[in-house]
């Protein structure tokens, strides 16, 4: 499970205008329509083609917990692609993204400053350029560590350096031991 990737995905899903299908049959029918066939859905979900057909016809109504989770994840990944794209474009061009986190943060600075790591709870509005970098990295399949680096750079500039008005000699921000992380578009 990817903490940053899932957090970004949850923020985008808040922009949806309609709820995704809830029942297993409706979810299967949606995926069959999207992937243009039961065979592709069966391969993606790692079940037999006949099982997919049964869900489509509502002959099976309650999937196993692991299949239910895969099914829901795949539906939400494909649900309302235009709304998803608009939300990302708005955040990357004008709106920016808000990060709410409780984590251990510290920094590397010149000798004589108090750079001790400590738990901080921050809610910071990040500029659109960082929202664009986060979404771009996520689309390219970046690891959670890379997304964490981008978020740390953003917090360094926005929170610690206040856009260049203070702590100009700050070299690096450490962003570890994340207890809570949430994004808002």
């Amino acid at each position: 499970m990817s903490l940053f990737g899932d957090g970004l995905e949850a923020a985008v899903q808040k922009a949806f205008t309609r709820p995704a299908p809830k029942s297993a049959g409706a979810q299967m029918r949606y995926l069959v329509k999207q992937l243009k066939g039961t065979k592709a859905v069966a391969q993606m979900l790692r079940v037999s083609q006949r099982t997919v057909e049964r869900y489509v016809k509502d002959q099976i109504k309650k999937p196993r917990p692991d299949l239910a989770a895969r099914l829901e994840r795949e539906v939400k990944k494909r649900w309302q692609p235009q709304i998803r794209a608009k939300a990302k474009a708005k955040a990357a061009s004008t709106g920016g993204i808000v990060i709410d986190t409780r984590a251990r943060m510290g920094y590397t600075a010149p000798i004589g400053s108090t750079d001790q790591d400590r738990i901080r709870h921050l809610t910071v509005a990040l500029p659109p350029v960082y929202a664009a970098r986060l979404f771009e990295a996520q689309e390219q399949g970046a690891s959670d560590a890379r997304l964490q680096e981008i978020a740390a750079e953003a917090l360094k500039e926005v929170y610690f350096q206040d856009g260049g008005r203070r702590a100009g000699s700050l070299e690096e921000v450490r962003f570890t031991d994340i207890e809570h992380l949430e994004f808002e578009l």
Side-chain angles (χ1 to χ4, degrees):
M1 186 167 87
S2 162
L3 186 65
F4 282 81
D6 291 347
L8 289 170
E9 192 61 36
V12 170
Q13 288 176 6
K14 289 177 186 172
F16 288 167
T17 56
R18 292 177 309 166
K22 296 281 185 229
S23 73
Q27 290 174 334
M28 280 292 185
R29 286 188 287 279
Y30 176 75
L31 287 175
V32 167
K33 186 176 179 183
Q34 291 296 306
L35 298 176
K36 299 175 178 45
T38 56
K39 187 175 185 179
V41 175
Q43 289 174 343
M44 178 184 64
L45 295 174
R46 299 186 308 273
V47 295
S48 71
Q49 186 173 352
R50 181 69 185 124
T51 302
V52 172
E53 292 166 359
R54 286 179 163 135
Y55 278 108
V56 168
K57 293 179 184 175
D58 280 329
Q59 293 173 343
I60 306 175
K61 298 201 185 275
K62 184 120 173 75
R64 299 181 318 270
D66 61 322
L67 177 58
R70 286 195 309 263
L71 190 56
E72 185 174 348
R73 185 179 62 246
E74 293 299 331
V75 167
K76 283 191 175 179
K77 192 190 306 183
R78 291 168 174 75
W79 188 248
Q80 292 192 323
Q82 293 170 332
I83 301 289
R84 179 187 306 270
K86 282 182 186 176
K88 286 181 179 182
K90 181 181 176 202
S93 61
T94 58
I97 193 167
V98 175
I99 183 173
D100 179 44
T101 186
R102 180 170 163 75
R104 181 169 301 282
M105 289 186 218
Y107 49 86
T108 305
I111 296 173
S113 61
T114 57
D115 60 353
Q116 186 72 31
D117 289 10
R118 63 185 170 105
I119 297 285
R120 299 173 195 250
H121 183 189
L122 302 177
T123 302
V124 180
L126 304 179
V129 69
Y130 286 107
R133 286 183 60 198
L134 282 166
F135 285 126
E136 187 178 307
Q138 182 189 28
E139 286 172 14
Q140 292 174 352
S143 67
D144 224 34
R146 178 64 187 134
L147 294 173
Q148 187 172 343
E149 287 173 19
I150 294 170
E153 284 178 43
L155 290 172
K156 172 186 167 187
E157 183 181 317
V158 176
Y159 178 75
F160 289 104
Q161 292 182 325
D162 195 16
R165 288 190 280 275
R166 63 175 184 217
S169 60
L170 201 64
E171 296 167 14
E172 174 196 23
V173 171
R174 290 183 297 281
F175 183 32
T176 58
D177 300 338
I178 300 166
E179 296 175 6
H180 167 77
L181 178 74
E182 190 174 333
F183 292 100
E184 189 78 35
L185 298 180

